[in-house]
Amino acid sequence: MTRGEQISVKRVTVEALAVVLSILLAFAIDAAWDARNDRASEIASLQSLLSELQANRAVFEAGSAAHEGLRMRTKTLFDISRGVEDLPEDDAAMSRLHLRSFRSHYITDYRSGALNALLASGDFGLLRAQDLKIALAAWPTLVEDALENERMVSRWVEERLIPYAVETTPACIFTVPVPVLTSADYERCRAELNEILGSDRLEGLLAHKLWLYQSTLEEFERLRGSFDDLNGLLQRELAGRQSDL
């Protein structure tokens, strides 16, 4: 091989090596860019989940307070029926207590758009923390258990208590307070209402509603602990991923 041929081979080798190195560098840059994009997507998902979780926590706190208020009204009417308490002296308060104890129920406005979108997409695989992925996958079932108890209260009210109230509640209860009613009208209304109170059927319906409320409140309390656990996991992962960038 002549000297010129040796130089040509060396040149070709160097050029080929330069091409290979350029390709490898391009792959490395693309991989690094993709990894950075993945981390950015993971952070965005974590932020959305955390915002949604914190908003839902406030919603469930409000729901828990609403259920406790309705439970207390139901308990008051239950105790009045059993003779433990007296009917309110104020006629409007008497009417409100009776109607709300029968007809009122509450549905929590739970939102799960961010979590549902993440679980349904390939982005769920971007999450690196296995304990967080397990907690997120289990979260919808925990929420559903709490909401199902809440729906049971609503069904009991709509299917059992309201029909009973329509059958038995004195008509005057629906018109209190009306300025044209006299004190004699109020006394007659109170007497008619007292005839309903004390029945085994009424107390049975109210007792079951109280049990459903208690079960719902217990589920909400368990969910409160799960909120705290999941919030801690999300905060930890978000802080870690942001420090990686």
Side-chain angles (χ1 to χ4, degrees):
M1 180 181 293
T2 66
R3 182 175 178 80
E5 290 173 336
Q6 290 176 342
I7 293 173
S8 179
V9 170
K10 288 180 180 180
R11 182 181 297 127
V12 170
T13 302
V14 170
E15 291 175 352
L17 182 60
V19 170
V20 171
L21 290 175
S22 297
I23 293 172
L24 292 176
L25 181 60
F27 281 145
I29 292 173
D30 285 344
W33 183 254
D34 288 343
R36 184 176 179 84
N37 286 339
D38 286 346
R39 297 291 71 79
S41 296
E42 183 184 15
I43 288 174
S45 295
L46 290 170
Q47 289 172 331
S48 295
L49 289 171
L50 186 59
S51 295
E52 184 172 84
L53 181 74
Q54 292 174 344
N56 277 323
R57 167 131 198 183
V59 166
F60 272 92
E61 291 285 355
S64 184
H67 287 306
E68 176 59 21
L70 292 170
R71 187 192 72 82
M72 289 301 297
R73 292 192 190 100
T74 303
K75 179 67 163 56
T76 298
L77 187 62
F78 180 69
D79 287 341
I80 290 171
S81 181
R82 294 192 304 152
V84 177
E85 290 190 35
D86 296 326
L87 275 172
E89 290 298 325
D90 179 82
D91 297 292
M94 175 188 71
S95 177
R96 286 195 300 270
L97 173 65
H98 188 79
L99 292 177
R100 290 176 181 176
S101 298
F102 275 95
R103 301 167 64 182
S104 297
H105 54 100
Y106 185 89
I107 295 296
T108 300
D109 186 22
Y110 170 69
R111 305 293 177 88
S112 58
L115 179 56
N116 289 342
L118 183 65
L119 291 174
S121 70
D123 288 346
F124 187 68
L126 296 176
L127 302 181
R128 287 178 280 177
Q130 191 63 24
D131 55 350
L132 175 59
K133 293 171 75 171
I134 292 172
L136 287 172
W139 180 248
T141 300
L142 297 175
V143 173
E144 180 59 27
D145 288 343
L147 294 180
E148 176 55 27
N149 271 64
E150 187 178 69
R151 288 191 289 267
M152 288 172 64
V153 178
S154 296
R155 288 196 295 269
W156 187 254
V157 168
E158 292 171 356
E159 296 173 8
R160 301 296 298 276
L161 276 169
I162 289 179
Y164 177 81
V166 170
E167 292 175 7
T168 62
T169 300
C172 58
I173 284 292
F174 298 99
T175 59
V176 172
V178 175
V180 297
L181 293 181
T182 66
S183 59
D185 292 325
Y186 286 130
E187 287 303 318
R188 184 166 52 254
C189 186
R190 185 178 294 272
E192 291 175 358
L193 186 55
N194 270 315
E195 290 179 7
I196 299 168
L197 299 173
S199 74
D200 290 340
R201 186 182 177 194
L202 170 62
E203 291 173 10
L205 290 169
L206 293 177
H208 189 70
K209 187 182 181 185
L210 286 171
W211 178 78
L212 291 174
Y213 271 134
Q214 188 59 41
S215 298
T216 300
L217 288 166
E218 289 172 0
E219 287 290 344
F220 274 42
E221 185 59 33
R222 279 191 285 271
L223 197 62
R224 189 198 308 270
S226 298
F227 265 116
D228 293 338
D229 293 341
L230 187 54
N231 182 73
L233 290 173
L234 287 168
Q235 293 275 17
R236 182 200 69 191
E237 286 306 301
L238 188 56
R241 298 303 162 253
Q242 287 174 331
S243 66
D244 290 343
L245 291 179

